[in-house]
Amino acid sequence: MSERVKVEKTVTINKPAEELYRFWRNFENLPRFIKHLKEVKVYDEKKTHWIVEGLLDTTLEWDAVILEDKENEVIAWASVQSAEIQNSGVVQFKPAPGNRGTEVKVVREYNPPGGVIGNVLAKPAAGIAKLFGEDPKHNLTEDLRHFKMLMEAGEIATTEGQPRGKG
């Protein structure tokens, strides 16, 4: 029942790689733009603790370790073996063509646990989407869109609290 889910997305941000890397590498910043991420606690340079929102107001938690860290270029991580949801990821920072800032590419992989999802849904890939409330590719797209706004404009623009038109 364990079907690996892999999503990836690239966005161009009009900021230098050094600034983007430095902001991302301070892992406590990540909940500012990653929707379902409640908190990242930093234990040391290599180990962190992640808390995400799950279904029905539950939370999931795991420890992760940094596998690769090249300043201003790449950060790769993976959950420890005992994690409820086996996951890994990498973020790469590369100069954009034509001196237009930095291309930020993120790849996330999840290995949904059969015990949490497999008993309820036949397809674990659909289960991980339900676990986080949406499609993982959509989540990554939104997370990177929010990162871009935060880095370029200093805030994440939303329509929350604004009146809706009649239609």
Side-chain angles (χ1 to χ4, degrees):
M1 295 293 295
S2 281
E3 177 182 316
R4 197 131 181 96
V5 176
K6 180 178 180 180
V7 292
E8 61 183 81
K9 179 75 177 166
T10 302
V11 66
T12 301
I13 301 176
N14 193 19
K15 289 287 183 177
E18 298 81 9
E19 185 177 337
L20 301 175
Y21 168 89
R22 192 171 43 252
F23 187 88
W24 194 294
R25 184 61 176 86
N26 179 358
F27 299 119
E28 293 169 346
N29 282 329
L30 299 181
R32 293 176 63 185
F33 63 91
I34 297 177
K35 183 177 180 179
H36 296 287
L37 186 57
K38 290 179 73 167
E39 185 178 1
V40 178
K41 296 177 186 174
V42 176
Y43 293 137
D44 58 39
E45 285 298 308
K46 292 282 187 187
K47 195 168 183 183
T48 53
H49 183 77
W50 297 63
I51 304 171
V52 297
E53 297 171 359
L55 286 173
L56 306 171
D57 295 323
T58 62
T59 57
L60 296 168
E61 301 185 29
W62 64 84
D63 289 336
V65 293
I66 303 299
L67 302 174
E68 182 179 12
D69 187 1
K70 290 185 182 173
E71 190 171 358
N72 305 326
E73 291 180 28
V74 66
I75 305 166
W77 65 92
S79 58
V80 296
Q81 193 143 1
S82 61
E84 287 181 83
I85 294 181
Q86 291 295 311
N87 66 86
S88 62
V90 62
V91 57
Q92 298 172 318
F93 306 90
K94 294 181 180 178
N99 240 359
R100 296 179 305 124
T102 304
E103 287 183 350
V104 179
K105 178 181 181 180
V106 176
V107 179
R108 292 181 185 163
E109 292 191 53
Y110 306 90
N111 195 12
V116 173
I117 298 166
N119 293 333
V120 179
L121 299 164
K123 287 200 65 104
I128 198 73
K130 293 265 190 228
L131 182 65
F132 293 106
E134 295 152 9
D135 171 48
K137 184 151 183 84
H138 173 76
N139 282 348
L140 180 56
T141 299
E142 287 298 298
D143 292 344
L144 282 177
R145 192 171 66 81
H146 290 160
F147 182 52
K148 178 179 174 71
M149 281 190 273
L150 187 60
M151 297 311 296
E152 290 180 350
E155 63 184 0
I156 297 171
T158 69
T159 57
E160 287 181 30
Q162 294 182 10
R164 295 177 185 253
K166 294 181 181 180

